[in-house]
Amino acid sequence: MSHRAAGWKIRLRLSSDNPGVEALFETCLAHFPWRSSTADEIVRLRQALNVGDCLIAHEGNAGVIGFLILDRPKAYVSHLFVHDDWRFCGVGSGLLGVARDMARSPLQLDVDAQNEPAMRAYKAMGWVEKVGPDPMRSNQRRLSGP
């Protein structure tokens, strides 16, 4: 998938994308002070990259501007991050659309309960809370995509 006007494309991750993925992830983590340490989050990211399909949103001059990690058999998105400068440009919805096509079913993901902008964005795209808050995961909300 590509967005001609904005100049970005979505493709599967190459090993050469790993530094860009990690750099984007670390930049985005600054907005989530409630998360674990950066080192712990990077370990979880690397584990997810080893077992899931990773889609990259790439722009020629900017490099990696977004990524999504998909557990295809479960249709579960473990990671979705878009660089601040590229939000509201269709990158996130583009990544989700390609992932939905790959999974061939509606997607699920968890959102940090404190991440109100993400919750609003998902709800605006038609995502719904799948189950009420789970006492074991009170800091996350499970959403199901359209």
Side-chain angles (χ1 to χ4, degrees):
M1 172 183 197
S2 64
H3 190 293
R4 288 185 184 176
W8 52 262
K9 296 178 182 180
I10 294 175
R11 59 173 169 75
L12 287 171
R13 174 182 62 102
L14 305 171
S15 60
S16 60
D17 293 318
N18 290 351
V21 168
E22 288 190 17
L24 171 58
F25 185 61
E26 285 188 51
T27 299
C28 291
L29 284 177
H31 299 287
F32 309 121
W34 56 84
R35 286 277 183 111
S36 302
S37 73
T38 300
D40 290 343
E41 293 292 339
I42 291 290
V43 167
R44 282 193 274 282
L45 171 70
R46 289 175 180 164
Q47 289 169 339
L49 286 168
N50 285 333
V51 298
D53 294 304
C54 182
L55 296 170
I56 299 293
H58 186 272
E59 195 276 334
N61 295 319
V64 176
I65 59 172
F67 71 93
L68 176 150
I69 302 175
L70 173 68
D71 179 340
R72 197 182 312 200
K74 295 179 182 175
Y76 178 78
V77 175
S78 66
H79 292 75
L80 172 58
F81 290 89
V82 176
H83 191 283
D84 283 351
D85 293 344
W86 291 89
R87 292 189 183 149
F88 306 106
C89 295
V91 174
S93 61
L95 287 164
L96 288 165
V98 173
R100 186 174 36 251
D101 290 347
M102 288 174 64
R104 298 183 181 192
S105 68
L107 302 173
Q108 297 181 67
L109 53 77
D110 292 316
V111 178
D112 293 337
Q114 301 94 322
N115 192 347
E116 293 175 16
M119 289 292 287
R120 283 193 303 272
Y122 288 120
K123 288 181 179 184
M125 289 187 284
W127 288 67
V128 295
E129 195 162 345
K130 187 171 180 186
V131 294
D134 179 344
M136 300 301 291
R137 300 172 347 127
S138 61
N139 61 340
Q140 300 238 303
R141 300 290 182 261
R142 174 69 51 99
L143 302 179
S144 183

